Amino acid sequence: MSDSSQLSRRERQIMNVLHEEGSATVATVQARLPDPPTDMAVRRLMHILEEKGHVKRLRKEGREVIYAPAQSKARAGLSALKQVLDTFFGGAVDEALAAHLTRKDATLTDEQAERIQKLIDDAKREGR
C-alpha cells in the first residue's frame, strides 16, 4: 500500500468517510463530503484509491459497489498519529500530549490518567 501522506485532500476526505462508516457506497461517500463532487468524480477517486491500495471492494448490492478501507481503522490511526507527531512535534510524544492537555477544553479522566501512567510504566520497564 502506498503512503497515506501522499493522498490528495479529496482522497483523504474519502478515506475519512470510509474509516468512519466502515464501508460505504459511492452515494454515501458523496453525501458525506464537503462541497461534494459529482458521483462520477467520486467513482473515479474510489477507483484511484483502489489502484493505490487504500480501498477495496467488499461486494455488490444491486448496481452499487460497497467499498471499505484496505487498512484497519486502528492501523490507519497509528499511521496518521505518527505522521502528526513527526510533522508537528518532531516525533515528541510529550510535546503532543502537553499541547493537548494545555488546551482550555481538554479533559482527562482519572481512568485515562491511570492508563497513561500504566503505559509509561510498562514502556520504562520494557526499556522503550
Side-chain angles (χ1 to χ4, degrees):
M1 176 181 323
S2 62
D3 184 1
S4 64
S5 67
Q6 301 302 310
L7 296 177
S8 71
R9 175 185 56 85
R10 190 61 94 180
E11 289 170 337
R12 192 175 328 280
Q13 289 172 337
I14 289 171
M15 291 307 301
N16 289 345
V17 170
L18 289 174
H19 280 293
E20 289 169 9
E21 294 288 328
S23 63
T25 64
V26 167
T28 301
V29 170
Q30 182 186 22
R32 297 269 320 274
L33 291 174
D35 191 25
T38 65
D39 64 330
M40 284 306 295
V42 175
R43 285 181 203 291
R44 180 68 187 133
L45 286 165
M46 296 292 259
H47 181 71
I48 290 168
L49 287 166
E50 188 177 14
E51 287 178 340
K52 289 181 176 182
H54 293 282
V55 169
K56 61 184 176 183
R57 292 173 188 228
L58 287 183
R59 65 188 177 279
K60 280 190 93 168
E61 287 185 4
R63 295 183 62 196
E64 288 289 332
V65 176
I66 309 297
Y67 293 92
Q71 192 176 61
S72 72
K73 187 174 184 176
R75 188 173 182 139
L78 286 174
S79 177
L81 178 60
K82 182 182 180 329
Q83 183 181 349
V84 168
L85 286 173
D86 291 346
T87 302
F88 297 101
F89 300 100
V93 174
D94 61 325
E95 288 184 28
L97 184 58
H100 172 70
L101 293 176
T102 56
R103 290 182 13 226
K104 291 189 187 324
D105 63 342
T107 59
L108 184 67
T109 66
D110 289 340
E111 293 80 20
Q112 290 169 327
E114 288 172 16
R115 181 159 187 259
I116 290 169
Q117 188 59 56
K118 181 182 180 326
L119 291 168
I120 291 169
D121 294 342
D122 291 349
K124 281 182 180 179
R125 201 170 22 262
E126 294 171 9
R128 295 185 277 134

